[in-house]
């Protein structure tokens, strides 16, 4: 009987030790539902899908296709933009000479689709879909967003820069006191 009493008393003590009441859950200043809304899977912050190609129409339609594909996959498309095209001059020469055979002016177009908060389980599916649907002549690069992506996006106003330079050469702007 004494043995049964000792076991019961110890069981009651252990129960009280493991069942200490919690006064609050989560953070003191934030409600519990904010923690419940967060994803349990790791997420990528901001990614840029950069598209490059020589044919304007194909590149523009492919960007539109990617935008719709990502929207259907419930991926947050933050922004999409075009950067100014680059003109590349290609020269071919006649064999064993320095005589120009032909010259080509190629325009390289660039489009970027920016996505945010992509789940780590979704990104491989997105990459496979991009790889399978890329048309001929288009290259696709997926990389994290950087600061210079914002800077390259805008076209500089050369006429405004020239006028500012002329103003500085003449003595700068007039200052009123």
């Amino acid at each position: 009987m004494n043995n049964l009493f000792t076991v019961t008393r110890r069981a009651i003590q252990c129960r009280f030790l493991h069942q200490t009441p919690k006064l609050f859950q989560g953070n003191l200043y934030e409600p519990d539902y904010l923690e419940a809304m967060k994803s349990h899977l790791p997420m990528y912050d901001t990614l840029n899908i950069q598209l490059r190609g020589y044919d304007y129409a194909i590149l523009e339609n492919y960007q539109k296709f990617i935008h719709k594909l990502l929207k259907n996959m419930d991926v947050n498309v933050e922004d999409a933009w075009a950067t100014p095209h680059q003109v590349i001059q290609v020269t071919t020469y006649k064999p064993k000479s320095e005589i120009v055979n032909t010259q080509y002016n190629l325009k390289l177009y660039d489009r970027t689709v920016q996505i945010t908060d992509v789940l780590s389980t979704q990104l491989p599916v997105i990459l496979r879909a991009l790889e399978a649907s890329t048309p001929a002549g288009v290259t696709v690069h997926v990389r994290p967003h950087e600061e210079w992506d914002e800077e390259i996006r805008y076209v500089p106003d050369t006429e405004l820069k020239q006028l500012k330079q002329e103003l500085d050469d003449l003595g700068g702007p007039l200052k009123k006191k």
Side-chain angles (χ1 to χ4, degrees):
M1 189 66 138
N2 192 15
N3 199 12
L4 182 62
F5 179 71
T6 308
V7 171
T8 309
R9 189 179 74 211
R10 285 193 181 168
I12 291 172
Q13 287 174 350
C14 289
R15 188 179 76 195
F16 284 123
L17 288 176
H18 293 296
Q19 292 182 353
T20 56
K22 272 186 140 179
L23 299 175
F24 61 89
Q25 288 187 350
N27 195 346
L28 179 63
Y29 300 107
E30 293 182 2
D32 296 336
Y33 64 85
L34 291 178
E35 200 60 39
M37 289 173 54
K38 290 184 181 177
S39 174
H40 299 292
L41 298 172
M43 298 177 87
Y44 290 96
D45 187 32
T46 303
L47 296 174
N48 286 348
I49 302 172
Q50 188 178 25
L51 312 170
R52 285 189 169 188
Y54 295 102
D55 193 354
Y56 176 80
I58 291 176
L59 192 67
E60 199 71 23
N61 284 330
Y62 187 55
Q63 179 192 1
K64 185 172 136 183
F65 169 75
I66 287 177
H67 199 93
K68 286 182 181 179
L69 177 74
L70 293 172
K71 286 286 188 185
N72 288 337
M73 292 177 71
D74 290 331
V75 175
N76 185 18
V77 178
E78 189 73 26
D79 202 2
W81 66 85
T83 53
H85 68 273
Q86 300 172 359
V87 178
I88 301 170
Q89 185 175 6
V90 178
T91 305
T92 60
Y93 297 99
K94 292 187 178 180
K96 298 181 182 180
S97 70
E98 295 180 6
I99 301 171
V100 175
N101 189 16
T102 54
Q103 282 188 339
Y104 301 102
N105 288 326
L106 301 176
K107 293 182 180 178
L108 183 62
Y109 299 99
D110 194 8
R111 301 287 179 268
T112 304
V113 177
Q114 188 177 62
I115 56 178
T116 57
D117 299 332
V118 180
L119 292 173
S120 61
T121 56
Q122 276 184 322
L123 189 62
V125 177
I126 293 169
L127 293 177
R128 180 65 186 119
L130 291 175
E131 182 184 15
S133 65
T134 304
V138 174
T139 57
V140 178
H141 298 283
V142 178
R143 54 186 182 72
H145 181 70
E146 297 173 2
E147 286 183 27
W148 66 273
D149 290 329
E150 282 295 318
E151 294 171 9
I152 201 168
R153 179 178 175 176
Y154 300 106
V155 180
D157 191 358
T158 55
E159 186 177 337
L160 180 62
K161 285 183 179 181
Q162 181 184 6
L163 289 173
K164 284 183 180 180
Q165 183 63 36
E166 287 178 17
L167 185 62
D168 288 340
D169 292 343
L170 293 173
L174 294 177
K175 295 181 180 174
K176 295 181 182 179
K177 291 185 180 179

